[in-house]
């Protein structure tokens, strides 16, 4: 299965236990979306509010993947947090733009810029 | 449908949508599609096949053929739940989590239609080999 999720609790800083960086690689589709959902559910259970999702290594995303991203947006909005998307390549950017989803998320070219945009607490 | 002489291809629908994407991509690429229009067709086929997995108990197959103008791909299900009006699905917007597959196919392909016969229903997707879209 060509899809992985790597989770960094605290997004590189132990002072922000409410943040998670999720680094996705490979193909996010009908068959693999449940693994991303599982990682998100674990983050919610640990009271994460801000999700930095790095898509730099994502080579494919279908509407099942879009559904998971929209679900994450809804879940963290309910706890006054946010989803920050990083590194949309041209293919992912196209599907996000076609579906109108691009407007629903804050997007950043690099992980560094997304992390700098996280709130202080 | 008689597709003899038009380089037909057939694949069953399984849980391995990645495999299907590579098969369809290879076929459409050999037929002459390239770039974004090729990727768009492959994504549209993926969406239709995912719908068969979700709504038609995974019972279906994919049929493709081409001539010198179009690549045509039909995604067949054996439950026959699709009706022609489904081809006119509207944008669900970002407030709805699911149910954007058929609408998305219309954004990705030159033509989307629903066909029905006594063995079920199918989504027919067409991508022109040369015409510029948009």
């Amino acid at each position: 299965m060509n899809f992985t999720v790597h989770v960094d609790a605290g997004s590189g800083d132990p002072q922000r236990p409410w943040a998670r960086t999720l680094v996705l690689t490979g193909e996010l589709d009908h068959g693999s979306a449940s693994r991303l959902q599982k990682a998100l559910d674990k983050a919610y259970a640990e009271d994460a509010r801000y999700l930095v999702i790095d898509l730099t290594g994502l080579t494919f995303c279908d509407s099942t993947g879009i559904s998971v991203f929209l679900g994450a947006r809804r879940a963290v909005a309910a706890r006054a947090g946010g989803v920050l998307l990083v590194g949309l390549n041209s293919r992912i950017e196209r599907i996000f733009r076609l579906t109108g989803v691009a407007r629903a998320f804050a997007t950043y070219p690099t992980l560094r810029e997304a992390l700098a945009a996280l709130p202080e607490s | 449908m008689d597709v003899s002489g038009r380089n037909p291809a057939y694949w069953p629908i399984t849980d391995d949508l990645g495999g299907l994407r590579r098969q369809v991509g290879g076929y459409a690429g050999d037929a002459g599609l390239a770039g974004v229009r090729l990727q768009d067709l492959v994504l549209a086929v993926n969406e239709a096949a995912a719908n068969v997995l979700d709504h038609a108990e995974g019972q279906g197959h994919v049929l493709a053929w081409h001539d010198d103008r179009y690549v045509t791909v039909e995604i067949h299900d054996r439950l026959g739940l699709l009706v022609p009006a489904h081809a006119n699905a509207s944008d669900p917007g970002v407030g709805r989590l699911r149910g954007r597959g058929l609408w998305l196919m219309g954004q990705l392909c030159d033509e989307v239609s629903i066909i029905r016969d006594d063995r079920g229903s199918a989504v027919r997707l067409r991508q022109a080999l040369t015409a510029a879209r948009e």
Side-chain angles (χ1 to χ4, degrees):
Chain A
M1 297 290 275
N2 169 31
F3 176 74
T4 63
V5 187
H6 175 79
V7 181
D8 173 16
S11 294
D13 183 346
Q15 299 306 309
R16 47 186 181 206
W18 39 267
R20 293 288 179 285
T21 299
L22 291 88
V23 181
L24 314 186
T25 64
E27 300 180 314
L28 177 58
D29 70 359
H30 185 274
S32 60
S34 62
R35 268 179 284 158
L36 174 57
Q37 187 59 56
K38 201 171 288 181
L40 289 168
D41 289 342
K42 182 165 184 290
Y44 306 147
E46 296 165 352
D47 291 328
R49 289 184 287 123
Y50 279 89
L51 305 169
V52 179
I53 307 181
D54 190 343
L55 310 178
T56 307
L58 202 61
T59 54
F60 179 83
C61 177
D62 69 3
S63 69
T64 319
I66 296 282
S67 301
V68 176
F69 291 130
L70 289 173
R73 171 177 173 262
R74 187 180 287 181
V76 294
R79 44 180 85 179
V83 176
L84 297 77
L85 298 181
V86 176
L88 282 69
N89 63 47
S90 62
R91 210 171 159 184
I92 305 300
E93 199 271 339
R94 174 164 172 76
I95 167 84
F96 271 58
R97 187 164 43 79
L98 279 174
T99 53
V101 168
R103 294 191 302 277
F105 291 96
T107 61
Y108 300 85
T110 64
L111 188 56
R112 187 195 179 95
E113 286 161 277
L115 294 179
L118 283 173
E120 294 291 315
S121 62
Chain B
M1 169 162 297
D2 175 21
V3 295
S4 58
R6 291 188 275 179
N7 307 298
Y10 169 97
W11 306 281
I13 293 173
T14 71
D15 288 341
D16 182 16
L17 292 185
L20 178 64
R21 291 194 294 272
R22 279 172 272 287
Q23 299 271 15
V24 172
Y27 178 88
D30 288 345
L33 270 182
V36 171
R37 292 175 58 76
L38 170 61
Q39 293 175 1
D40 283 356
L41 177 65
V42 170
L43 175 55
V45 173
N46 174 89
E47 294 297 326
N51 280 348
V52 172
L53 294 178
D54 281 340
H55 304 301
E57 300 168 1
Q59 300 289 307
H61 64 272
V62 175
L63 195 60
W65 68 92
H66 73 89
D67 53 25
D68 52 3
R69 293 176 58 212
Y70 287 100
V71 177
T72 305
V73 184
E74 288 180 356
I75 301 88
H76 287 259
D77 72 77
R78 281 174 219 148
L79 282 192
L81 297 178
L82 291 166
V83 296
H86 282 121
N88 304 316
S90 59
D91 180 4
V94 296
R96 280 245 322 268
L97 297 189
R98 302 183 58 85
R100 52 177 44 77
L102 267 160
W103 171 79
L104 185 57
M105 292 173 217
Q107 308 302 303
L108 296 166
C109 295
D110 292 329
E111 292 178 35
V112 178
S113 51
I114 305 294
I115 55 177
R116 297 178 57 84
D117 61 25
D118 54 4
R119 284 165 297 181
S121 53
V123 181
R124 177 183 291 167
L125 306 170
R126 294 191 112 180
Q127 204 77 313
L129 288 171
T130 52
R133 194 155 42 101
E134 293 170 34

